[in-house]
């Protein structure tokens, strides 16, 4: 395909008594960049279906494969309540990667699977010359370290994102800034179910605050009262997790100083909030030649 490129120029011409500037336009056809071929691994999950819709709507990329162990053989477009994409869900990642690599196109695998599968998935993608965006909560840092070494050796990019929510990243950045001005901090989160608590977001915030050389909540650091919440890290950051069906996924960080309370809150109501971050990650990872941990590096 070719894209039409136009440029504006100014040309001087003279009339009887004065000169004028006449704008002119010159156009030329230039080859356009091919779309990024995106494979969604974990396509049948809620977040996978949202990713299929987001990638289909985004410019410069297209869904080229859908991998999952559920709904095998079904058209991923129909599963997402869209027009058929003529892309069946396949359970074999290697088969999908092989078909895309033959086209010699730029490819990205988006991994929504589970921590135990990430390492092998990324290695397979690299073997076929494709980069990876990994959003798998609870991935172990040992896995990230091993992948980083592998990507470095292969000179292939991989983005491991603890969160794809831009709002969550902004909350974390604001919390780090606030931590230099307050000595008391607690994290309160709410979730609709009790799976994986404290949440990955709360753990990430606590870890960020615990790496700044600050000591928080000195007055009751040693308390063992269960109602005071769980201490994460060694610097006294406490997390309180509330679970009630119907609650939105919410994270609030409270800071306090003499005579004031400062709070930062982020609510998630739908999985679609992760899609702008995902599209950004796909666009950025194709230029990487190593592993990057955290989408915030590109904000």
């Amino acid at each position: 395909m070719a894209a039409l490129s136009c440029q504006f120029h100014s040309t001087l011409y003279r009339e009887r008594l004065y000169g004028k500037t006449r704008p002119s336009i010159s156009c030329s056809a230039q080859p356009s960049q091919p779309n990024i071929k995106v494979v969604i691994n974990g396509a049948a999950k809620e977040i996978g279906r949202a990713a299929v819709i987001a990638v289909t709507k985004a410019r410069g990329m297209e869904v080229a494969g859908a991998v999952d162990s559920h709904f095998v053989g079904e058209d991923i477009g129909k599963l997402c309540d869209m027009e058929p994409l003529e892309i069946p869900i396949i359970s074999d990642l290697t088969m999908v990667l092989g078909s895309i690599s033959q086209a010699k196109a730029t490819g990205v695998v988006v991994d929504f699977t589970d921590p135990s599968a990430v390492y092998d998935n990324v290695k397979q993608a690299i073997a076929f010359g494709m980069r990876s965006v990994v959003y798998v909560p609870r991935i172990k840092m040992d896995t990230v370290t091993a992948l980083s070494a592998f990507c470095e050796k292969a000179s292939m990019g991989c983005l491991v994102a603890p969160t794809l929510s831009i709002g969550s990243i902004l909350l974390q950045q604001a919390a780090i800034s606030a931590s230099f001005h307050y000595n008391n901090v607690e994290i309160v989160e709410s979730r609709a179910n009790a799976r994986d608590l404290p949440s990955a977001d709360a753990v990430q915030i606590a870890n960020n605050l615990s790496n700044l050389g600050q000591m928080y909540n000195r007055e009751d650091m040693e308390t063992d009262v269960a109602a005071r919440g769980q201490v994460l890290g060694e610097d006294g950051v406490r997390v309180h997790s509330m679970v009630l069906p119907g609650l939105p996924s919410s994270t609030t960080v409270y800071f306090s100083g003499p005579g004031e309370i400062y709070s930062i809150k982020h609510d998630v109501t739908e999985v679609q909030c992760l899609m702008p971050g995902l599209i950004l990650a796909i666009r950025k990872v194709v230029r990487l030649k190593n592993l990057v941990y955290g989408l915030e590096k590109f904000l």
Side-chain angles (χ1 to χ4, degrees):
M1 293 179 62
L4 190 64
S5 175
C6 298
Q7 295 181 330
F8 290 86
H9 304 277
S10 295
T11 303
L12 292 176
Y13 72 97
R14 291 189 174 277
E15 291 191 350
R16 292 180 179 178
L17 298 177
Y18 54 89
K20 283 187 177 181
T21 300
R22 172 185 292 173
S24 63
I25 303 174
S26 63
C27 298
S28 61
Q30 298 179 351
S32 61
Q33 292 294 328
N35 285 346
I36 301 170
K37 308 294 185 181
V38 181
V39 176
I40 309 295
N41 194 0
K45 297 181 178 181
E46 180 184 12
I47 188 172
R49 298 195 301 272
V52 169
I53 296 172
V55 170
T56 301
K57 293 180 178 179
R59 288 189 296 178
M61 62 184 70
E62 62 184 83
V63 177
V67 181
D68 208 294
S69 58
H70 298 89
F71 301 101
V72 174
E74 292 196 25
D75 185 281
I76 188 60
K78 288 185 176 180
L79 189 64
C80 297
D81 296 323
M82 300 191 303
E83 293 294 325
L85 296 178
E86 297 184 359
I87 299 174
I89 297 176
I90 299 175
S91 60
D92 188 342
L93 176 61
T94 303
M95 183 182 300
V96 176
L97 297 179
S99 63
I100 295 174
S101 66
Q102 292 177 359
K104 297 182 180 181
T106 301
V108 173
V109 179
V110 178
D111 197 322
F112 294 133
T113 57
D114 59 79
S116 63
V118 168
Y119 184 79
D120 288 338
N121 291 344
V122 174
K123 283 186 65 176
Q124 284 191 64
I126 290 176
F128 285 97
M130 299 178 67
R131 291 162 174 81
S132 295
V133 172
V134 177
Y135 176 65
V136 179
R138 305 292 176 178
I139 185 173
K140 295 181 179 181
M141 290 310 299
D142 290 346
T143 302
V144 176
T145 301
L147 281 176
S148 180
F150 191 85
C151 292
E152 190 78 26
K153 185 176 180 179
S155 295
M156 289 293 288
C158 176
L159 174 58
V160 178
T163 181
L164 289 171
S165 167
I166 293 176
S168 178
I169 293 171
L170 294 176
L171 181 145
Q172 293 179 29
Q173 293 175 341
I176 291 173
S177 297
S179 68
F180 294 104
H181 305 281
Y182 298 96
N183 295 323
N184 298 285
V185 57
E186 307 218 355
I187 302 169
V188 179
E189 63 175 355
S190 65
R191 298 292 185 271
N193 58 68
R195 183 181 57 189
D196 295 334
L197 293 175
S199 69
D201 284 346
V203 172
Q204 183 70 32
I205 294 168
N207 288 340
N208 289 344
L209 298 181
S210 295
N211 292 328
L212 302 175
Q214 301 276 81
M215 294 298 295
Y216 309 100
N217 309 318
R218 292 177 182 271
E219 296 178 0
D220 66 345
M221 282 188 63
E222 303 301 325
T223 183
D224 57 358
V225 177
R228 287 292 294 112
Q230 179 181 349
V231 177
L232 295 181
E234 300 179 355
D235 298 336
V237 179
R238 294 183 179 275
V239 177
H240 309 261
S241 299
M242 179 171 59
V243 177
L244 286 172
L247 280 179
S249 178
S250 177
T251 304
T252 306
V253 185
Y254 290 93
F255 294 90
S256 74
E260 67 174 339
I261 302 291
Y262 175 57
S263 61
I264 316 165
K265 185 178 183 181
H266 177 242
D267 293 337
V268 173
T269 57
E270 294 183 346
V271 72
Q272 282 76 12
C273 75
L274 305 178
M275 295 305 108
L278 174 64
I279 299 303
L280 174 63
I282 293 171
R283 297 193 195 283
K284 295 298 184 180
V285 76
V286 296
R287 300 182 180 181
L288 296 180
K289 294 186 177 180
N290 61 330
L291 184 143
V292 172
Y293 185 80
L295 182 61
E296 63 272 13
K297 305 295 193 307
F298 301 108
L299 293 183

